[in-house]
Amino acid sequence: MDYNLITNNATCHQMIADTVPISLVYYSHIPTAIIALLVGFFVFLKNKKDLLARLLLALSITFSLWLVGNFIVWIMNYNTLLTMVAWSPLGLINAIFFILSLYFVYVFIDKKDISFKVKILLAILSLPIIIMAPTKMNLSGFSMSWCEAMEQDFFLNYVFYFEIFISVWIAILSIQRYLKAKKEVRTQILLLSVGIILFLVSFFGASQIAIYTENFDYELYGLFGMTIFMGFLAYLIVQYHVFNVKLIAAQALVVSMILLVGSQFFFATNSTAIVLTGVTLALSLGFGYMLIRSVKQEVERKEQLQVMADKLAGANDQLRKLDNAKTEFISIASHQLRTPITAIKGFASLLLEGSYGELGDSVKGALEKIYGSSERLVSLIEDLLNVSRIESGRMQFAFEKANVEKLIKELYDNFILIAKTKEFFLELKMPKTPLPEIMMDYTKIRELTSNFIDNALKYTEKGGVTISAELRDSGVIIDENGFVIPNKKSEFGQMIRITVSDTGIGIPKEEIPYLFKKFSRGKDVSRLNVGGTGLGLYVGKAIAEAHHGQVWVESEGDKKGSSFIIEIPVEHIA
Ligand code: ADP
């Protein structure tokens, strides 16, 4: 720098000391710079790769540099050369700080780097400041009579309008993004933009007020705006886990508290004050340590929980994929199996009927076995296909107005022979008054009821089965374990209820919650039904639910028989 300066100007130093309380200069600069740097570094060290954390560090370093420069200007006025060296970059640093603030807001809201175009625009706009800052277009010399550097209007004005421009940019950007944002992020955007704008305004406005009123205390007070900004930031960090570092806020708080208390030592004039400051400092250290430790524990616990939750979510995802793959596999395999099995069953039936000529008894016996097995296979395949249809949401329903009495009569006719061969009774209890027709998929409800009757005959050793249908004024509520909630009438409206009761092996209470689940079978049932799959009730439940109805079982327990019930609302739009 080629200024012709007298260094050591004691008069100016004195003059500054007379106009502004020097302790205010210390207070407004030193703790503020330290707090800013601490927050910046803490956040950065924990999130080195995060652009937002880097920007925060850049902001705090820039701000601290400005504070150091400004501090030297205030304190070192007797050394005019140093004052000039410290003063000349202040405008540039100021401008950089505004740019970084804008950058920070962009990244905070958009969660990504700013575009190349915006970077170029900012570089072009700040170029004149970079070029002018080290020249006499910025500071032309040092005025001995005013005790300050002689700032040039063009540079001052350029920086002034530049800062106004950036502030308006930040405001418009925040408003735009706020309006577009979802509710949950709106508060974050609001807090950040209000924090930054308050800070910029207090920082920038205070120095403007100081210039116009020539009372430079204001400029010093303006610096406390940084504390507001840091407060906002700390709040954002804690509240929204912006950097996920609650700990940082606690550490920064404790360190700055200790620094503030510690700085009292410089002002303590008597021994009582020194002792008091010492005690306060010790207490702050103790409490601060405890605070940091407890926050740390909490953060660690939360992090562990998060890791576990993430792992669980991953495993869950994996399971879902496996389950889908399995459903897909079952669907393909079953389709491939169905055609040949149907052919086997068809030809076996033709052979048995004698379409290919008279057969000997032993051949007939073997053919009957083939027929029986292939029938079991067909129904197993049908169950598997139904499961895969339910799980992939491809189960198709054809709703039409249909009659339940007709349905149970048909089923009765189908099963009466089987019941008779087993020496069981099969009773059909028709309602006293005719039932209204309801919208339903006749084939599917028939399939469901048929499975109830089929099971009832299979899981009964003596006695028999009763099929009944009735109209009820309202439906019952079934809890998540499959039990009817007593005394609670729901507002389902009229329901048609079909009940299949038997005098069979019954169902222990503890099995009821699982019965309607996929592949779920009772403990000792294989003895009575070897080929069961545990799929019939699961498919039935899905059919009932597609009709806005419900299925459940009631049983007094082992060997006490059971009643399988389905209810379908009379009025419902399919
Ligand atoms: P599957 O009969 O092929 O095993 P279901 O899904 O139709 O499959 O039935 C599931 C289970 O429910 C049966 O394995 C049996 O334990 C029980 N169950 C069904 N109906 C009755 C009944 N009427 N009496 C006793 N237990 C039954």
Side-chain angles (χ1 to χ4, degrees):
M1 220 169 279
D2 59 348
Y3 303 115
N4 183 16
L5 299 168
I6 311 165
T7 50
N8 289 328
N9 185 340
T11 354
C12 276
H13 182 52
Q14 193 48 48
M15 189 176 140
I16 299 289
D18 289 344
T19 49
V20 179
I22 289 296
S23 60
L24 181 62
V25 176
Y26 278 101
Y27 257 122
S28 58
H29 287 72
I30 299 175
T32 321
I34 293 174
I35 293 174
L37 280 178
L38 275 178
V39 174
F41 270 102
F42 271 137
V43 173
F44 170 72
L45 289 177
K46 299 259 163 148
N47 306 269
K48 287 196 190 107
K49 295 219 171 85
D50 189 318
L51 181 56
L52 210 54
R54 289 182 192 176
L55 281 172
L56 189 70
L57 179 66
L59 265 172
S60 56
I61 292 178
T62 318
F63 184 68
S64 306
L65 276 178
W66 189 91
L67 283 170
V68 170
N70 194 265
F71 182 72
I72 295 174
V73 168
W74 281 105
I75 300 302
M76 298 288 192
N77 281 54
Y78 59 89
N79 187 331
T80 41
L81 177 63
L82 238 175
T83 306
M84 291 292 282
V85 170
W87 195 316
S88 58
L90 290 186
L92 177 62
I93 297 179
N94 226 327
I96 294 176
F97 188 79
F98 274 72
I99 292 178
L100 286 173
S101 300
L102 173 68
Y103 201 164
F104 188 87
V105 175
Y106 258 117
V107 177
F108 182 91
I109 300 179
D110 292 352
K111 311 259 179 296
K112 60 171 200 242
D113 202 353
I114 51 175
S115 69
F116 188 62
K117 270 192 218 150
V118 175
K119 281 185 188 161
I120 294 283
L121 178 67
L122 288 173
I124 293 173
L125 286 175
S126 43
L127 201 60
I129 305 178
I130 299 170
I131 295 171
M132 285 189 281
T135 71
K136 283 187 176 172
M137 292 181 80
N138 173 11
L139 302 180
S140 62
F142 193 87
S143 158
M144 285 304 166
S145 42
W146 289 98
C147 278
E148 58 182 42
M150 289 180 287
E151 296 177 293
Q152 294 305 295
D153 280 351
F154 180 73
F155 183 81
L156 270 190
N157 283 336
Y158 191 90
V159 175
F160 176 82
Y161 288 113
F162 179 84
E163 288 172 3
I164 296 252
F165 178 72
I166 301 283
S167 306
V168 172
W169 189 338
I170 294 179
I172 294 178
L173 174 76
S174 313
I175 294 171
Q176 262 186 356
R177 298 295 198 271
Y178 177 84
L179 292 177
K180 268 199 234 154
K182 287 193 201 115
K183 259 204 180 138
E184 319 83 78
V185 277
R186 278 192 166 181
T187 331
Q188 285 187 43
I189 298 180
L190 193 72
L191 279 176
L192 174 84
S193 46
V194 168
I196 286 227
I197 287 171
L198 265 183
F199 170 61
L200 292 179
V201 166
S202 78
F203 177 57
F204 174 80
S207 62
Q208 291 307 315
I209 294 172
I211 291 170
Y212 289 115
T213 58
E214 297 197 355
N215 182 347
F216 287 89
D217 285 16
Y218 288 124
E219 189 175 310
L220 299 178
Y221 290 126
L223 297 179
F224 290 115
M226 184 63 181
T227 328
I228 303 180
F229 176 54
M230 284 294 162
F232 265 94
L233 217 64
Y235 179 76
L236 281 175
I237 289 171
V238 175
Q239 190 69 14
Y240 299 105
H241 305 285
V242 174
F243 294 109
N244 208 7
V245 275
K246 210 172 180 176
L247 190 58
I248 290 166
Q251 286 168 333
L253 179 80
V254 169
V255 173
S256 46
M257 189 173 78
I258 286 164
L259 282 172
L260 279 175
V261 175
S263 68
Q264 288 292 328
F265 275 121
F266 295 108
F267 304 100
T269 42
N270 55 42
S271 51
T272 324
I274 293 178
V275 171
L276 274 178
T277 310
V279 171
T280 322
L281 189 64
L283 283 175
S284 313
L285 276 169
F287 284 124
Y289 173 74
M290 274 156 59
L291 175 72
I292 291 179
R293 209 179 53 175
S294 73
V295 173
K296 199 171 172 182
Q297 281 170 350
E298 189 199 320
V299 168
E300 278 169 3
R301 228 168 289 138
K302 271 197 181 149
E303 275 172 3
Q304 279 171 354
L305 269 179
Q306 191 56 44
V307 170
M308 272 153 69
D310 287 349
K311 272 191 189 159
L312 210 65
N316 216 356
D317 230 38
Q318 202 64 26
L319 276 178
R320 204 168 305 128
K321 276 186 200 146
L322 274 175
D323 202 44
N324 284 344
K326 185 207 67 201
T327 309
E328 194 67 12
F329 170 76
I330 289 178
S331 161
I332 294 170
S334 316
H335 271 117
Q336 301 300 328
L337 285 173
R338 194 160 57 170
T339 329
I341 294 292
T342 319
I344 295 173
K345 193 180 145 194
F347 283 112
S349 158
L350 287 175
L351 281 166
L352 280 171
E353 282 164 13
S355 307
Y356 296 95
E358 236 3 83
L359 303 172
D361 279 352
S362 56
V363 179
K364 242 185 180 169
L367 263 178
E368 264 158 11
K369 281 195 184 121
I370 293 178
Y371 184 81
S373 300
S374 54
E375 203 170 40
R376 278 222 324 258
L377 261 179
V378 168
S379 93
L380 168 69
I381 291 168
E382 203 42 53
D383 274 350
L384 288 174
L385 275 173
N386 276 334
V387 169
S388 81
R389 281 183 201 123
I390 291 167
E391 291 183 353
S392 58
R394 285 194 306 242
M395 188 127 188
Q396 305 266 332
F397 290 90
F399 289 96
E400 58 185 338
K401 276 231 176 253
N403 188 292
V404 171
E405 284 125 312
K406 177 176 163 238
L407 186 144
I408 53 172
K409 176 79 180 65
E410 247 177 55
L411 287 173
Y412 172 84
D413 293 342
N414 271 5
F415 282 99
I416 186 69
L417 258 179
I418 304 175
K420 272 192 180 148
T421 23
K422 289 191 157 190
E423 296 181 353
F424 291 167
F425 67 82
L426 183 65
E427 190 186 347
L428 180 65
K429 271 194 193 161
M430 283 296 193
K432 288 185 192 87
T433 49
L435 297 175
E437 286 202 321
I438 54 169
M439 288 294 279
M440 63 180 184
D441 183 323
Y442 188 85
T443 324
K444 295 232 162 45
I445 295 293
R446 191 176 184 279
E447 199 178 306
L448 181 163
T449 320
S450 159
N451 185 48
F452 280 180
I453 304 170
D454 190 43
N455 279 346
L457 292 170
K458 273 181 190 151
Y459 300 115
T460 297
E461 287 170 302
K462 62 173 192 288
V465 176
T466 310
I467 311 166
S468 65
E470 61 185 315
L471 183 69
R472 297 180 66 92
D473 286 339
S474 67
V476 295
I477 297 184
I478 311 293
D479 71 11
E480 68 274 15
N481 288 323
F483 294 104
V484 174
I485 300 178
N487 305 328
K488 273 211 172 169
K489 289 220 162 171
S490 68
E491 300 306 314
F492 294 154
Q494 280 195 315
M495 302 289 250
I496 285 188
R497 181 188 276 203
I498 305 172
T499 309
V500 178
S501 304
D502 61 53
T503 55
I505 58 168
I507 296 160
K509 242 190 171 64
E510 61 277 12
E511 280 181 13
I512 289 184
Y514 306 101
L515 230 50
F516 289 87
K517 300 224 155 82
K518 207 175 5 171
F519 298 111
S520 160
R521 303 200 68 205
K523 242 190 193 165
D524 308 310
V525 295
S526 299
R527 172 174 66 87
L528 294 170
N529 174 17
V530 195
T533 54
L535 291 174
L537 292 181
Y538 171 78
V539 174
K541 184 169 192 268
I543 294 174
E545 280 166 4
H547 284 76
H548 303 269
Q550 49 196 356
V551 278
W552 74 99
V553 59
E554 289 173 6
S555 172
E556 294 294 311
D558 231 3
K559 307 224 168 36
K560 301 222 169 104
S562 20
S563 294
F564 280 82
I565 304 161
I566 170 175
E567 268 189 0
I568 308 170
V570 172
E571 299 280 340
H572 93 258
I573 313 303

